[in-house]
Amino acid sequence: MVTLAVLGTQWGDEGKGKFVDFLAEKAKAVVRFQGGDNAGHTVKIGADEFKLHLLPSGILRKGKTAIIGNGVIVNPEVLIGEIDNLKKRGIDCSGLRISDRAHLIMPYHTMLDGAEEQLKAGKHIGTTGRGIGPCYSDKISRLGIRVCDLMDGAVFREKLSFAVMVKKRIFAAYGIEEELDEERIFEEYSSYWKKLKPYVCDTVEVLERLRARKSRILFEGAQGTLLDIDYGTYPFVTSSNTIAGNAATGSGTPPGDIDRILGIAKAYTTRVGSGPFPTEMPEREAVSLAKAGGEFGTTTGRMRRCGWLDLVVVSHSVRLSGIDSIALTKMDVLGQVNRIKICDSYKLDGKKIVHFPASIEALERCRPVYSEFESWGEISQSTIRKMKSNGRRSLPAEIREYIGHIEKLLGIPVSAISFGKERDKTAMLRKIWPLSLIHISEPTRPY
Ligand code: GDP
Ligand code: IMO
Ligand code: MG
């Protein structure tokens, strides 16, 4: 296998950063293909913790190519800040490649994000405030400014002038009092270009060359399936496709060249921002789990809402992305809970359903149906070590039961479990990467 996509199967923050870093050891390149600096991927290496928003997590390992694909929207100020910060911490960023087709987040996008949230008073999404929705809207409306537009001052000026003219009218209609200073934006973005220029290229070509050499490539998803613009809890979603199909579109990789998909699932569920959440816990339990799991947003610092693992949600992801296997994170945190639940199905207006409904009004009426499990308590490093060498045979009975239930309902294996932020707290139960191109198992999903 030469390529593997790592995707979030819930509402984001599943631990994608941790797994991408873990798997990147054996990769040549790591590619971000959607989202922007709304993402917050945390990687712990020894005593050091890195919080990445735009840079692919592979940047932290020496000698890797780290690609920001065309499907990503780039806030150049944030990106430069991230590069400078990593350089100060001794990380070599020379492997970074930024797509010349990626769209730019402009100052008016972040301003509009805030204004639109205010207008939605009472029904606000709880966005990260990074201008994500307005920037992707401009891309689709063909009003966007792309990285390649910065190459030529005259081209950039023309596109900026037009966009600013349009935005001024929108600002007036929205009652936004802040001034849009075209000249200042022009100067600022021209100076960003000088810093980013060495990294900018046609990343489609870079990827093509890597594939031709059979180099191993990881695709790093941001957010999660339930935040997908088409398949998530619309409108309480982000503004990009987060599922596997976009790993192709967002990077210029032919779909058939994405060999395997790994779904990352937290052993429980969290969500940041507004929107329905069927397995959400009552406040007291949620706060206690959030504290135990350090569930505070990497990007916004907000406390994440907490609930039980929801297999209707994860199977929605498995189906949409063709996920081959699951990596379960935060097993150490869930082990601190006495009696553990998994949601197997919903009751909707008295009927059992196992498919995630399109309508959020219907979802609000869904009641989770749970199975219960014994806790496995604290897992020592020596048990993790045994799991690493002996695989499933060393799993405590309670964990075997928990994982067995998940595998039975999803019809795919749990290939890895994680008991902490650190690399050495990860046990691979199956070899998923690198692997030759034979099928791991035929899906036997009961759903
Ligand atoms: P991402 O957005 O999917 O990359 O996830 P985040 O980095 O936003 O949030 C996941 C958080 O959980 C980070 O702080 C990780 O360091 C941490 N984490 C990942 N796996 C584990 C685990 O197995 N146990 C614990 N305790 N923390 C973990
Ligand atoms: P990672 O990659 C969790 C959520 C926001 C909000 C909604 C829309 O770290 O998993 P946006 O700013 O994208 O317009 O906000 O999506 N959201 C995330 N939640 N993890 C993320 O990224 C998220 N990125 C966006 O909280 O509810
Ligand atoms: Mg995150």
Side-chain angles (χ1 to χ4, degrees):
M1 175 181 34
V2 290
T3 68
L4 172 73
V6 178
L7 306 174
T9 61
Q10 296 155 322
W11 276 279
D13 302 328
E14 296 90 350
K16 299 176 288 294
K18 172 186 164 150
F19 264 93
V20 170
D21 165 70
F22 183 80
L23 298 166
E25 186 186 2
K26 301 267 165 62
K28 174 71 189 104
V30 180
V31 191
R32 274 279 308 270
F33 54 88
Q34 46 75 227
D37 60 312
N38 50 346
H41 296 179
T42 318
V43 178
K44 185 130 201 269
I45 305 170
D48 287 326
E49 191 160 81
F50 298 89
K51 292 178 189 297
L52 302 169
H53 299 285
L54 271 165
L55 290 170
S57 299
I59 196 92
L60 301 172
R61 290 197 185 256
K62 256 204 183 112
K64 311 289 171 189
T65 304
I67 298 175
I68 296 184
N70 52 278
V72 176
I73 50 176
V74 176
N75 182 325
E77 187 186 2
V78 173
L79 180 56
I80 291 165
E82 227 173 300
I83 296 169
D84 288 347
N85 182 31
L86 286 194
K87 280 186 180 165
K88 268 190 222 141
R89 297 176 72 178
I91 306 291
D92 171 21
C93 292
S94 60
L96 175 64
R97 300 288 178 271
I98 304 165
S99 168
D100 49 7
R101 289 183 168 84
H103 279 248
L104 292 166
I105 297 188
M106 306 298 291
Y108 42 78
H109 292 138
T110 34
M111 290 153 90
L112 283 168
D113 195 351
E116 285 171 6
E117 281 284 87
Q118 268 185 6
L119 285 173
K120 287 179 190 157
K123 292 198 166 169
H124 70 282
I125 291 163
T127 70
T128 57
R130 302 299 180 110
I132 303 298
C135 181
Y136 275 122
S137 300
D138 273 2
K139 173 176 176 174
I140 302 301
S141 309
R142 293 154 293 183
L143 258 181
I145 299 179
R146 298 186 297 165
V147 169
C148 59
D149 297 327
L150 296 176
M151 288 177 194
D152 180 327
V155 170
F156 176 45
R157 170 67 83 177
E158 192 190 326
K159 296 197 175 177
L160 179 65
S161 291
F162 184 67
V164 166
M165 182 272 290
V166 175
K167 298 303 169 196
K168 278 189 171 163
R169 294 187 187 198
I170 295 173
F171 275 33
Y174 279 6
I176 303 175
E177 282 167 10
E178 272 171 276
E179 272 296 306
L180 261 188
D181 185 340
E182 182 186 320
E183 199 51 43
R184 221 181 80 201
I185 301 175
F186 182 81
E187 293 303 327
E188 258 179 42
Y189 277 65
S190 301
S191 74
Y192 297 149
W193 170 245
K194 284 192 193 116
K195 292 193 177 153
L196 292 180
K197 193 176 165 189
Y199 305 109
V200 173
C201 64
D202 181 347
T203 49
V204 175
E205 273 179 27
V206 177
L207 280 164
E208 195 176 15
R209 275 199 301 274
L210 286 164
R211 288 198 310 279
R213 279 188 232 124
K214 299 267 178 268
S215 301
R216 293 180 196 128
I217 306 168
L218 280 174
F219 293 88
E220 176 174 2
Q223 292 84 49
T225 306
L226 277 294
L227 290 172
D228 183 282
I229 185 78
D230 284 286
Y231 298 104
T233 44
Y234 191 88
F236 299 100
V237 291
T238 191
S239 298
S240 64
N241 284 113
T242 60
I243 58 170
N246 204 18
T249 316
S251 68
T253 303
D257 282 355
I258 300 180
D259 300 323
R260 283 275 187 275
I261 321 281
L262 175 68
I264 312 293
K266 211 175 263 191
Y268 46 96
T269 310
T270 59
R271 154 157 227 182
V272 197
S274 324
F277 183 178
T279 62
E280 187 163 18
M281 292 169 172
E283 194 177 339
R284 211 164 52 93
E285 279 172 79
V287 169
S288 137
L289 193 59
K291 282 190 182 152
E295 297 296 354
F296 298 89
T298 313
T299 302
T300 59
R302 289 178 288 181
M303 192 180 101
R304 298 172 181 151
R305 297 157 66 193
C306 292
W308 298 108
L309 178 64
D310 184 340
L311 290 184
V312 181
V313 160
V314 182
S315 77
H316 185 54
S317 297
V318 170
R319 181 177 303 118
L320 290 165
S321 287
I323 292 171
D324 298 291
S325 71
I326 294 285
L328 269 185
T329 60
K330 299 228 169 182
M331 290 290 282
D332 53 323
V333 179
L334 194 62
Q336 295 175 40
V337 176
N338 275 337
R339 193 94 192 125
I340 293 168
K341 293 193 213 175
I342 291 183
C343 167
D344 298 338
S345 60
Y346 300 150
K347 269 264 162 76
L348 173 61
D349 304 332
K351 270 202 198 136
K352 175 182 163 177
I353 61 162
V354 290
H355 283 161
F356 200 79
S359 143
I360 59 162
E361 288 73 19
L363 187 61
E364 296 278 14
R365 299 200 306 281
C366 284
R367 297 290 164 261
V369 179
Y370 290 112
S371 292
E372 293 205 10
F373 299 84
E374 293 292 335
S375 176
W376 44 88
E378 201 173 321
I379 302 294
S380 67
Q381 191 59 35
S382 77
T383 310
I384 299 173
R385 259 197 306 275
K386 277 187 213 141
M387 287 179 202
K388 283 196 220 174
S389 39
N390 304 332
R392 283 172 188 261
R393 276 171 293 143
S394 301
L395 291 179
E398 295 84 1
I399 294 188
R400 217 174 308 139
E401 206 181 310
Y402 189 75
I403 287 178
H405 186 81
I406 294 170
E407 293 179 325
K408 192 171 101 201
L409 264 65
L410 296 181
I412 54 166
V414 170
S415 53
I417 39 179
S418 165
F419 292 92
K421 291 175 170 224
E422 298 80 4
R423 288 172 177 168
D424 67 351
K425 298 233 160 97
T426 318
M428 297 304 295
L429 303 178
R430 273 174 187 257
K431 189 164 183 262
I432 53 161
W433 168 259
L435 192 79
S436 60
L437 268 177
I438 38 165
H439 271 290
I440 299 179
S441 65
E442 285 301 321
T444 52
R445 273 200 295 285
Y447 286 170

